[in-house]
Amino acid sequence: MRVPLIAGNWKMNKTPQEAIQLINELKGLIQNTAAEVAVCPTFVALSDVLKAVEGSSLKVGAQNMYHQDKGAFTGEISPVFLKAMNIEYVILGHSERRQYFGETNEEINKKLAAAFTHNIKPILCVGETLEQREQGITFEVIKEQVQKCLANMHQFDLEELVVAYEPVWAIGTGRTATKEDANEVIAFIRQQLKEVLNEKLSLNIRILYGGSVKSSNIRELMDMPEIDGALVGGASLDVQEFAKIACY
Ligand code: PEP
């Protein structure tokens, strides 16, 4: 059974002090959720957030990492460091990293391999731009992203992979994909997972929707058969709103 996952991507927001405050409030608000709930703060807040979640069911993820373990890579963060801190999840291939930092499917593939090597659960983001959707090439783009990012992964235990379908045109814009569109693309991603990996994995891997998720639309999204949770950006910065999403 796929346990729903609601993950908050805080992006470049919240000082360590603000992060602690949010977690302390959030813990009391999500006690009755059936979902697994995770927060992904900035690197500098990870340590404080890990301490703040102690004794709760909240999970902690990073927003990125490099694929090498160590070395002369100024400014990068190693999977070894994240594992040493007991970070459970890492978001990889977010569209903002693809768009502003030039991350390619090939680089994301290396990062995924590094995450699996170090037993950090990756949340792999895929999604088409508005231009690509208007050109009618959504499925080609998603297929290429899934196939390239997940190439040569057979030596790893991929049960812990999470995929997030995040149409770029819906991120931070207030435009949400319709529940039918999101469900259709996620079903297509599951089909791709079956082809690239195998049927069992395709049925067990959780696929989230992300893009302007709010408390007002989470229920209808979660009611769709293929949608296993949400990756929440802007709305995860407001503790009341995120708690409502997590307790959909
Ligand atoms: C995201 O950045 O992963 C995201 C889905 O953002 P938002 O919810 O703000 O659209």
Side-chain angles (χ1 to χ4, degrees):
M1 204 193 75
R2 304 192 296 261
V3 177
L5 172 63
I6 305 290
N9 171 16
W10 292 1
K11 311 192 186 194
M12 200 174 70
N13 293 291
K14 306 274 179 205
T15 63
Q17 291 75 10
E18 290 166 341
I20 295 169
Q21 197 185 336
L22 189 152
I23 297 296
N24 287 340
E25 286 176 46
L26 183 62
K27 285 194 290 191
L29 296 172
I30 57 161
Q31 277 156 354
N32 295 326
T33 179
E36 188 183 351
V37 184
V39 289
C40 303
T42 62
F43 289 124
V44 295
L46 282 176
S47 189
D48 286 306
V49 167
L50 280 167
K51 282 195 207 102
V53 302
E54 268 174 26
S56 78
S57 58
L58 266 171
K59 307 288 176 59
V60 182
Q63 297 174 17
N64 181 31
M65 63 174 210
Y66 197 51
H67 68 271
Q68 297 272 9
D69 287 0
K70 62 178 179 176
F73 304 106
T74 301
E76 290 296 328
I77 297 289
S78 156
V80 176
F81 306 161
L82 298 181
K83 193 63 202 174
M85 295 178 79
N86 276 326
I87 296 297
E88 188 153 346
Y89 287 100
V90 62
I91 299 172
L92 294 178
H94 191 278
S95 63
E96 286 152 15
R97 296 223 49 93
R98 293 177 190 258
Q99 194 179 344
Y100 304 132
F101 303 97
E103 274 192 24
T104 62
N105 290 323
E106 289 72 17
E107 281 163 354
I108 296 159
N109 174 260
K110 287 186 198 158
K111 292 183 179 199
L112 277 164
F116 287 121
T117 302
H118 294 284
N119 293 316
I120 304 167
K121 300 172 185 169
I123 302 175
L124 164 65
C125 300
V126 297
E128 80 286 3
T129 62
L130 182 59
E131 208 182 4
Q132 290 164 334
R133 175 154 281 251
E134 284 172 349
Q135 283 169 11
I137 56 169
T138 296
F139 292 103
E140 282 98 312
V141 171
I142 300 286
K143 182 174 177 170
E144 187 180 4
Q145 289 175 336
V146 171
Q147 293 200 347
K148 289 192 171 164
C149 291
L150 291 176
N152 305 315
M153 290 284 157
H154 294 286
Q155 71 271 38
F156 300 116
D157 174 11
L158 301 178
E159 292 275 344
E160 303 289 12
L161 171 66
V162 177
V163 180
Y165 167 54
E166 298 211 310
V168 179
W169 48 269
I171 295 181
T173 59
R175 278 182 70 179
T176 319
T178 66
K179 57 188 196 302
E180 291 82 9
D181 282 346
N183 194 67
E184 186 188 20
V185 178
I186 289 178
F188 176 76
I189 293 171
R190 207 173 291 293
Q191 182 60 33
Q192 291 304 306
L193 294 179
K194 184 176 164 187
E195 283 174 28
V196 180
L197 307 175
N198 61 53
E199 181 165 20
K200 181 166 174 272
L201 281 170
S202 76
L203 295 174
N204 290 344
I205 288 171
R206 292 175 291 181
I207 310 180
L208 317 181
Y209 168 75
S212 298
V213 171
K214 305 181 270 297
S215 60
S216 56
N217 58 24
I218 183 72
R219 181 76 255 173
E220 61 177 37
L221 290 161
M222 294 304 289
D223 280 343
M224 300 307 284
E226 295 292 344
I227 302 179
D228 300 322
L231 185 55
V232 186
S236 70
L237 300 173
D238 177 326
V239 69
Q240 297 290 339
E241 178 67 0
F242 186 60
K244 280 188 207 155
I245 294 170
C247 298
Y248 64 95

